[in-house]
């Protein structure tokens, strides 16, 4: 006689059993769903009912609770429970690798590590409060990534004449290291470790002739480069460090996104993230203040001195400003200002735990006790940003939307896929508006020339900032955007294989507002042989902005370019207020989110003729395809609307021109400058020419990308030089300031 014992839990309806399992995992939000293990070990039948393969809805709900979902839904649409279950499993598998400190160097392990770094970067770009706590409090990814960078930046450098190699692994590692940076991590870093990191990153920062900051050089306004024949490649010249201009090897690789879509993404070039990591550690040490400086501008003028130069309050303001803003702000020591990501997360300990150094963890102090700055007899004040970084807000992940879509665009452009003007959110209009302050890292010209002429990396630690005699130059610039709208600016004529450029007669033959667009790229490029007028910031000549004409709206201006008269009317950016507003000159300039009209509404943008706009036609065709799919597949109406929302609406913008000048108060200290530039439509690259208001100094070119919407990072270069050859060039980082 045999007896069978049935598990009492098997008598519970499956829906209630799901709620029990889900509530059980909510007891400990940090970490994977290990709380289910005892429950699933109760009996084999219960295990089968709750396993991920047979019950993806349960695990989809679990991972949706443990990970942030707003950014995923905003950028890609709402994943299904099965897709969430697969993404959550991949995410925790990657974090488990970080937690184990998995840093091996064979080819197979490198592939696994690269996939984990890709997932880690995606988690941080999607972070609204949950992901970062999983990455830091459970996976301890910050300690892991620092060790990885320390060990593998110079990996296989012996095969590259001693120089670090640009590989996808290093690119993703530096990007993740930056995304995990906070004030606490910077302040808790011992000076010797900080100096070691800066030494590792030095080639990426001070060797722009070898390490580019953009996948496509600023020689091209149109990317992929528009060539007379598809079989041709862009012209380069040989140098000691390879071909110039720099066309770096592709860093793109495939990744499966949370919505199950398989796409190719390209991480930022290693030099771009290295500049931010380097300068963030430089900013821990404030700029020194010479003891002979006058206290205020009023004092120096009262003494009868009216020459341009800083006073004490100017240097204090430069030390008071954000440049390379830590993405995680002050860190995780307080819940103040952090939105409640979920009611079930209320019991989570938000402060970082104090770990034993032997267990690959570190302790984060709230501020540096007894912190000393080497080289200062009188210790300067702690920099303004320590302890005052912006708090996490309700839509923290929105600041990374541009960065995500730019990675997507880089991979497409690398594959030769042309993109329409500002397609896919690579640049949000209004980003450049406002006051920016920054530093230029300047090496001595002769030392940089000596380094550029030798293809071999200096031996025995000879490459240092001291050997380059590098110094910092403070810069302030107030910028504003003006937008060219479809039908109001002249697109360039279609270039044939026999045409290298559009001359003045071509422009006169182009219809102003009638007919279909012949090309998405806007007006006034230089000749392709001159590399799209790079020395003039992608203009054929110096642009001149004229005020509204009689009868025109107050938000309309006209641009004239030397040699090309009246190229079109431009809007002065009244519909795009930008992401942030600020306070007083020396007040708390932490960014305050304002309503930003972007991809998710149908009200943004400028009115324009949709019948001749190629973007609007594409949107209409896409909507029709979605409707057809909805009819065939039985898609619900909210799914159709969501697909249209994720794609975004055409805002009519075909051209973004950026103008800038130095405020009088900053010009009196650091010279008066004017700036004009453009944004490259394909990937959002910023290129501008800075001119002195008085012809006593030379011009400078600046190009780079807006990272996180708060920092503009890239390269400067002396103007008026041959863009086909290396020149005096260096790093700049500008940070957003309050108005």
């Amino acid at each position: 006689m045999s007896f069978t014992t049935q598990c009492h839990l098997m008598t519970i309806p499956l829906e209630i059993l799901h709620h029990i399992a889900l509530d059980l995992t909510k007891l400990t939000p940090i970490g994977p769903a290990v709380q289910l293990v005892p429950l699933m070990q109760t009996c084999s039948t219960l295990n089968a009912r709750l396993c991920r393969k047979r019950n993806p809805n349960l695990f989809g709900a679990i991972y949706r609770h443990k990970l942030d979902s707003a950014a995923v839904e905003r950028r890609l649409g709402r994943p299904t429970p099965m897709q969430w279950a697969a993404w959550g499993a991949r995410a925790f598998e990657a974090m488990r690798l970080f937690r184990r400190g998995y840093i091996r160097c064979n080819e197979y392990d490198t592939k696994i590590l690269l996939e984990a770094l890709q997932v880690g970067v995606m988690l941080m770009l999607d972070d609204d409060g949950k992901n970062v706590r999983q990455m830091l409090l459970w996976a301890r990814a910050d300690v892991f990534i620092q060790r990885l960078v320390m060990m593998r930046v110079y990996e296989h450098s012996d095969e590259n004449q001693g120089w670090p190699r640009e590989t996808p692994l290093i690119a993703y590692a530096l990007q993740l290291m930056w995304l995990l940076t906070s004030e606490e991590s910077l302040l808790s870093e011992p000076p010797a470790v900080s100096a070691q990191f800066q030494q590792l990153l030095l080639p990426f920062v001070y060797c722009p002739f070898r390490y580019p900051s953009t996948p496509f050089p600023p020689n091209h306004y149109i990317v992929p480069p528009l060539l007379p024949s598809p079989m041709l490649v862009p012209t380069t010249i040989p140098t000691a460090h390879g071909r110039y201009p720099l066309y770096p090897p592709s860093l793109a690789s495939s990744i499966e996104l949370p919505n199950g879509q398989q796409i190719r993404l390209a991480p930022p070039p290693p030099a771009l993230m290295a500049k931010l990591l380097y300068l963030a550690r430089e900013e821990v040490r404030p700029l020194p203040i010479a003891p002979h400086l006058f206290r205020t501008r009023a004092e120096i003028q009262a003494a009868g001195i009216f020459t341009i130069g800083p006073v004490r309050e100017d240097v204090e303001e430069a030390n008071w400003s954000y440049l390379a803003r830590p993405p995680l702000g002050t860190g995780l020591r307080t819940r103040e200002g952090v939105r409640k990501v979920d009611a079930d997360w209320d019991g989570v300990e938000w402060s970082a735990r104090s770990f034993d150094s032997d267990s690959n963890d570190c302790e984060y102090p709230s501020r540096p006790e007894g912190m000393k700055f080497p080289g200062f007899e009188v210790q300067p004040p702690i920099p303004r940003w320590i302890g005052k970084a912006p708090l996490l807000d309700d839509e923290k992940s929105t600041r990374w939307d541009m960065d995500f879509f730019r990675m997507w665009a880089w991979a497409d452009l690398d594959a030769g896929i042309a993109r329409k003007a500002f397609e896919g959110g690579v640049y949000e209009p209004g980003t450049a508006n406002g006051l920016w302050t920054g530093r230029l890292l300047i090496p001595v010209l002769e030392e940089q020339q000596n380094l550029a002429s030798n293809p071999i990396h200096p031996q025995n630690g000879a490459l240092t900032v001291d050997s380059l005699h590098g110094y910092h130059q403070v810069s302030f610039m107030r910028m504003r955007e003006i937008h060219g709208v479809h039908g109001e600016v002249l697109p360039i004529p279609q270039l044939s294989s026999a045409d290298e450029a559009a001359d003045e007669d071509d422009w006169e033959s182009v219809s102003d507002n009638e007919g279909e667009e012949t090309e998405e790229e806007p007006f006034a490029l230089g000749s392709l042989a001159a590399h799209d007028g790079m020395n003039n910031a992608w203009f054929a000549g110096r642009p001149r902005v004229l005020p509204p004409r009689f009868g025109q709206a107050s938000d309309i201006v006209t641009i004239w370019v030397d040699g090309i008269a009246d190229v079109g009317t431009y809007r002065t950016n009244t519909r795009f207020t930008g992401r942030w507003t600020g306070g007083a000159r020396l007040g708390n300039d932490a960014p305050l989110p304002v309503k930003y009209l972007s991809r998710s509404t149908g009200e943004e943008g400028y009115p324009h003729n949709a019948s001749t706009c190629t973007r609007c036609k594409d949107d209409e065709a896409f909507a029709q395809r979605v409707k057809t799919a909805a009819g065939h597949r039985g898609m619900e109406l909210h799914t159709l609307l969501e697909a249209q929302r994720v794609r975004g609406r055409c805002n009519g913008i075909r051209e973004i021109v950026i103008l800038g000048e130095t405020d009088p108060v900053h010009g009196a200290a650091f010279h008066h400058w004017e700036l004009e530039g453009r944004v490259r439509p394909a990937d959002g690259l910023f290129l501008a020419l800075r001119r002195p208001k008085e012809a006593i100094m030379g011009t400078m070119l600046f190009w780079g990308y807006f990272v996180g919407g708060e920092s503009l990072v890239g390269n400067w270069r002396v103007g008026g030089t041959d863009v086909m050859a290396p020149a005096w060039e260096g790093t700049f980082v500008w940070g957003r300031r309050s108005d």
Side-chain angles (χ1 to χ4, degrees):
M1 186 174 183
S2 63
F3 298 91
T4 59
T5 303
Q6 184 178 13
C7 176
H8 291 290
L9 289 174
M10 296 302 300
T11 62
I12 300 177
L14 183 59
E15 183 177 355
I16 298 178
L17 188 60
H18 282 194
H19 283 287
I20 292 174
L22 181 60
D23 290 342
L24 184 61
T25 61
K26 289 182 178 180
L27 295 176
T28 309
I30 298 295
V34 295
Q35 299 81 11
L36 287 183
V37 174
L39 180 63
M40 297 176 67
Q41 289 177 338
T42 305
C43 68
S44 59
T45 307
L46 187 61
N47 185 296
R49 296 180 69 181
L50 294 180
C51 69
R52 183 167 67 89
K53 183 177 181 180
R54 295 190 179 182
N55 204 335
N57 290 339
L58 171 61
F59 279 83
I62 290 173
Y63 290 132
R64 186 180 175 86
H65 172 261
K66 289 181 174 290
L67 301 174
D68 290 303
S69 59
V72 174
E73 296 178 4
R74 182 177 64 251
R75 299 168 187 162
L76 306 170
R78 182 175 301 174
T80 64
M82 184 176 296
Q83 291 168 345
W84 259 118
W87 172 249
R90 291 178 58 212
F92 278 100
E93 184 62 30
M95 287 189 282
R96 191 173 290 110
L97 183 147
F98 300 154
R99 185 179 174 91
R100 293 201 311 262
Y102 189 87
I103 310 177
R104 296 182 181 177
C105 300
N106 61 64
E107 183 177 352
Y108 175 75
D109 292 330
T110 297
K111 181 179 180 182
I112 295 176
L113 184 55
L114 175 60
E115 294 175 354
L117 290 175
Q118 288 178 317
V119 173
V121 167
M122 290 297 105
L123 288 173
M124 293 307 300
L125 294 179
D126 296 342
D127 173 50
D128 279 311
K130 294 181 181 180
N131 291 359
V132 67
R133 287 166 174 81
Q134 301 285 8
M135 290 282 285
L136 294 183
L137 300 183
W138 186 76
R140 307 170 187 177
D142 53 341
V143 179
F144 166 82
I145 200 65
Q146 288 187 7
R147 293 195 172 188
L148 175 68
V149 169
M150 193 77 74
M151 292 178 60
R152 301 194 64 170
V153 164
Y154 272 83
E155 183 183 23
H156 302 308
S157 60
D158 55 332
E159 303 171 2
N160 197 35
Q161 297 178 315
W163 296 94
R165 299 175 61 188
E166 296 176 285
T167 64
L169 180 72
I170 298 303
Y172 275 114
L174 293 178
Q175 185 181 17
L176 184 57
M177 185 176 176
W178 172 244
L179 292 172
L180 292 172
T181 299
S182 67
E183 291 176 356
E184 291 171 345
S185 64
L186 292 174
L187 295 176
S188 65
E189 199 170 79
V193 175
S194 179
Q196 189 174 1
F197 274 123
Q198 288 186 290
Q199 184 64 33
L200 285 172
L201 301 175
L202 199 65
F204 297 113
V205 177
Y206 279 98
C207 300
F209 50 82
R210 188 179 186 100
Y211 297 104
S213 296
T214 170
F216 297 92
N219 303 58
H220 304 288
Y221 182 78
I222 305 172
V223 289
L226 191 61
L227 301 170
S229 170
M231 302 301 294
L232 298 179
V233 296
T235 303
T236 59
I237 63 170
T239 70
H241 292 267
R243 310 293 298 185
Y244 194 92
L246 298 173
Y247 296 89
S250 173
L251 300 175
S253 55
S254 297
I255 181 175
E256 184 177 343
L257 299 178
N259 65 344
Q261 186 176 2
Q262 189 84 19
I263 66 169
R264 287 174 58 83
L265 293 179
L272 197 68
M273 295 294 103
K275 296 176 194 297
L276 290 170
L277 291 165
Y278 182 92
L279 192 65
R281 285 158 175 79
E282 280 289 306
E283 287 190 281
V284 173
R285 301 180 295 272
L287 296 172
I289 301 176
H292 69 275
L293 292 181
F294 285 85
R295 180 66 188 172
T296 64
R297 183 65 52 187
E299 288 182 9
I300 193 173
Q301 292 179 351
I305 302 175
F306 295 92
T307 57
I308 293 177
V311 296
R312 175 177 285 270
E313 68 176 359
D314 296 319
V315 183
E316 289 176 347
E317 182 178 5
N319 284 333
W320 194 263
S321 304
Y322 285 102
L323 298 180
R325 301 194 179 195
L328 297 186
T330 55
L332 304 181
R333 294 190 61 83
T334 176
R335 289 192 57 195
E336 181 182 358
V338 183
R339 75 182 178 100
K340 295 181 179 180
V341 291
D342 198 297
D344 298 295
W345 282 63
D346 283 342
V348 176
E349 180 185 355
W350 300 94
S351 61
R353 302 185 302 250
S354 299
F355 297 121
D356 185 355
S357 59
D358 294 334
S359 62
N360 299 344
D361 292 301
C362 63
E363 181 179 357
Y364 297 125
S366 57
R367 76 181 276 109
E369 296 294 340
M371 183 177 182
K372 299 292 184 181
F373 296 106
F376 292 86
E377 295 182 2
V378 179
Q379 292 297 308
I382 297 295
R384 160 260 177 277
W385 51 265
I386 291 181
K388 297 182 180 179
L391 296 169
L392 306 181
D393 55 66
D394 285 353
E395 295 181 343
K396 176 176 176 289
S397 61
T398 58
R399 61 184 289 206
W400 302 110
D401 285 353
M402 279 195 305
D403 299 74
F404 171 78
F405 289 114
R406 190 162 58 227
M407 292 170 64
W408 199 339
W410 282 335
D412 283 352
L413 295 171
D414 180 72
I417 302 175
R419 296 170 67 94
K420 294 183 173 63
F422 305 106
E423 180 182 5
V426 295
Y427 184 86
E428 291 284 4
T431 299
N433 285 336
L435 178 62
W436 295 78
T437 179
R439 295 191 200 178
L440 282 62
L441 278 57
I442 304 178
V444 171
L445 175 59
E446 291 77 9
E447 298 296 337
Q448 189 180 66
Q449 287 176 336
N450 293 336
L451 195 62
S453 62
N454 187 356
I456 300 177
H457 189 287
Q459 300 297 316
N460 301 323
L463 178 59
T464 64
V465 176
D466 293 336
S467 69
L468 294 171
H469 303 287
Y471 62 95
H472 293 195
Q473 185 183 100
V474 177
S475 174
F476 284 85
M477 187 64 64
R478 183 177 299 277
M479 297 191 291
R480 64 187 178 100
E481 295 180 8
I482 56 177
H483 299 155
V485 182
H486 165 69
E488 298 177 0
V489 293
L490 297 178
I492 66 172
Q494 182 72 37
L495 297 178
S496 66
S497 59
D499 295 329
E500 284 192 332
D503 57 24
E504 195 169 339
D505 295 336
D506 294 326
W507 290 104
E508 294 176 355
S509 65
V510 177
S511 173
D512 191 354
N513 294 314
E514 298 179 0
E516 296 187 1
E517 294 177 320
T518 57
E519 189 74 22
E520 289 290 335
E521 291 74 21
F523 74 92
L525 293 177
S527 107
L528 294 180
H531 284 250
D532 294 353
M534 174 181 166
N535 266 328
N536 282 325
W538 294 326
F539 290 103
R542 184 172 184 178
R544 305 179 187 278
V545 180
L546 305 181
R549 299 172 179 174
F550 179 76
Q552 286 183 328
S554 60
D555 68 333
I556 290 181
V557 297
T558 303
I559 288 187
W560 288 53
V561 172
D562 294 343
I564 304 176
D566 197 4
V567 295
T569 58
Y570 283 72
R571 304 296 179 130
T572 56
N573 189 19
T574 57
R575 287 178 172 261
F576 297 86
T577 57
R579 291 180 181 272
W580 317 112
T581 59
R585 177 183 179 186
L586 286 176
N588 181 9
D589 60 352
L592 304 175
V594 296
K595 180 173 176 57
Y596 186 73
L597 299 177
S598 60
R599 299 163 53 83
S600 59
T601 69
E603 303 174 358
E604 80 283 4
Y606 298 96
H608 59 285
N609 188 351
S611 64
T612 60
C613 174
T614 57
R615 286 283 303 280
C616 290
K617 289 181 177 180
D618 287 347
D619 291 343
E620 183 179 355
F622 175 79
Q624 187 59 44
R625 289 197 302 270
V626 173
K627 289 180 181 179
T628 303
H632 289 310
R633 303 175 187 174
M635 296 170 63
E636 299 181 1
L637 178 61
H638 72 84
T639 307
L640 166 64
L641 298 177
E642 184 177 13
Q644 292 176 310
R645 176 189 64 79
V646 171
R647 180 180 173 87
R649 296 281 298 276
C650 174
N651 54 24
I653 295 177
R654 292 296 177 271
E655 157 100 41
I656 295 180
V657 174
I658 296 179
L659 305 174
E661 62 180 352
T662 306
D663 289 344
V665 64
H666 299 132
F670 306 110
H671 293 280
H672 300 276
W673 302 94
E674 293 178 336
L675 177 145
E676 63 258 1
R678 307 170 82 173
V679 178
R680 189 159 67 186
D683 65 346
L685 180 69
F686 165 94
L687 174 67
L689 178 65
R690 191 183 73 171
R691 308 173 186 269
K693 286 190 175 181
E694 299 179 2
I696 57 175
M697 302 181 71
T699 60
M700 265 190 181
L701 286 167
F702 293 82
W703 67 88
Y705 293 101
F706 293 89
V707 178
E710 296 178 339
S711 296
L712 175 58
V713 55
N715 289 10
W716 63 264
R717 174 190 172 109
V718 292
T721 58
D722 182 7
V723 299
M724 287 294 294
W728 195 10
E729 190 175 326
T731 291
F732 84 92
V733 178
W734 286 349
R736 188 184 300 279
R737 269 291 311 276
S738 62
D739 292 333

